[in-house]
Amino acid sequence: RSNGEFALVGGGIRDIFDDLVMMDNAKGKKDRHHYWRRAFSITKVKPAEAVVVDDIPAYLAPASTMGADASR
């Protein structure tokens, strides 16, 4: 968690995110639907209302198939 959050803080963009979900709180690998179902549950956001980001685009594929916007 610290690497991801510190990268956002260091980049000056942490405040544009409503919440952060990472492997330690989603309890799964980011390339799996389980991770993203848990992420949407944790944040109480419907996939169709979510914008998801990651430094590895392949990790966003499951979220995209669930309806999240992974194109930004």
Side-chain angles (χ1 to χ4, degrees):
R1 179 175 181 90
S2 62
N3 286 346
E5 189 160 16
F6 287 140
L8 297 174
V9 170
I13 59 171
R14 171 58 182 96
D15 61 330
I16 68 171
F17 293 90
D18 293 330
D19 206 346
L20 301 178
V21 176
M22 300 183 193
M23 287 178 23
D24 61 333
N25 60 350
K27 312 253 188 258
K29 295 183 179 182
K30 295 187 282 184
D31 63 347
R32 309 285 166 79
H33 283 90
H34 169 76
Y35 174 92
W36 292 102
R37 279 192 297 275
R38 180 98 171 111
F40 297 132
S41 175
I42 290 168
T43 59
K44 297 177 176 62
V45 174
K46 295 176 185 173
E49 298 170 349
V51 175
V52 296
V53 297
D54 196 280
D55 60 336
I56 300 176
Y59 290 163
L60 301 175
S64 182
T65 65
M66 297 170 75
D69 181 350
S71 64
R72 299 177 191 201

